[in-house]
Structures are given as structure tokens and as C-alpha cells.
Amino acid sequence: MGRFFRSFKYASHGLRYVFLEEQNIRLHLLAAVIAIVMAFVFSIPLVHWMILIMVIGGIFALEIVNTALERLVDLISDEYHPLAKLAKDISAASVFVYSIAAIIIGVLLFYHPIISLLFSN
């Protein structure tokens, strides 16, 4: 049981590192806070909340995996290598693609509430 609880301790260390050291995840955090505030303001339905939480969790998880891969590549190769650069670029591209999908999902989730607010009497 101790090993189980230590795994949470190790995970929290990794999470703390990523939030303190990685600028991009802090930008994702800002976007997540804005989206959550908007979700409260517009009282979105439960299914939209579920989608929003999945998208936010997905982007954080992907950003964390990207950071881990970048650190692993740095550990393996401390000098420039084209394949190391390519591995890092591809990992970053996965976050970029998911971020675009998250933006599209955000637009779809908030389009009607925003339009209703703007054009209501």
C-alpha cells in the first residue's frame, strides 16, 4: 500500500515540475481557467461539461508527455542530433494538433451561448 501512495507523491513532483518549468502548460492552464469560468457563466449542460473536462485533461496529459519525451531526449543525447530534434518536434506537433482540436471544440461548445448573449434583447 505504501508503494501505491508513493506513486501519487512522485506524480505530484512531476506535476509541480511541469507547472513551474514549462511556459506552455501555464498558457494551457490560463485557457482552461477561462473556459471553466465561461462554462459557469453560461451554465452549459452536463454533457458539455464532460466534453470540456476531457479536452482540458487531454491537453494537460499530452503536454506532460511531451515534456517527459523532451527531457528523455535531452538525457540520451546532450549534443545536437537531427533525430533528437525530430522526436522533439513531432512530440510538440501532437500538442499543437490537439490544441487546434481543443479550440474547435471550445468554439462549438460556446458558440450558441455567446451568440444568444450578444443578440438577446
Side-chain angles (χ1 to χ4, degrees):
M1 199 61 159
R3 198 167 79 190
F4 175 73
F5 287 113
R6 279 193 304 274
S7 69
F8 285 104
K9 178 181 162 188
Y10 301 144
S12 69
H13 289 173
L15 195 57
R16 185 176 58 208
Y17 171 83
V18 172
F19 277 98
L20 291 174
E21 301 296 326
E22 292 298 313
Q23 175 183 346
N24 286 346
I25 204 157
R26 291 192 301 269
L27 293 173
H28 292 302
L29 179 61
L30 175 62
V33 168
I34 291 169
I36 290 168
V37 168
M38 288 177 60
F40 275 113
V41 167
F42 291 120
S43 300
I44 66 172
L46 179 61
V47 70
H48 290 188
W49 270 107
M50 293 169 24
I51 293 167
L52 184 63
I53 298 303
M54 287 175 47
V55 169
I56 290 171
I59 198 68
F60 283 128
L62 202 52
E63 189 68 59
I64 290 165
V65 169
N66 177 51
T67 299
L69 190 135
E70 287 179 349
R71 296 306 169 273
L72 183 60
V73 167
D74 290 344
L75 175 67
I76 293 171
S77 175
D78 57 350
E79 58 189 51
Y80 176 81
H81 192 283
L83 289 177
K85 179 188 180 316
L86 189 58
K88 288 176 150 186
D89 290 350
I90 291 169
S91 182
S94 70
V95 178
F96 180 66
V97 168
Y98 196 90
S99 296
I100 291 170
I103 290 168
I104 293 168
I105 290 168
V107 167
L108 293 172
L109 289 177
F110 293 112
Y111 176 78
H112 288 295
I114 290 173
I115 293 300
S116 294
L117 178 70
L118 292 175
F119 296 106
S120 67
N121 294 347

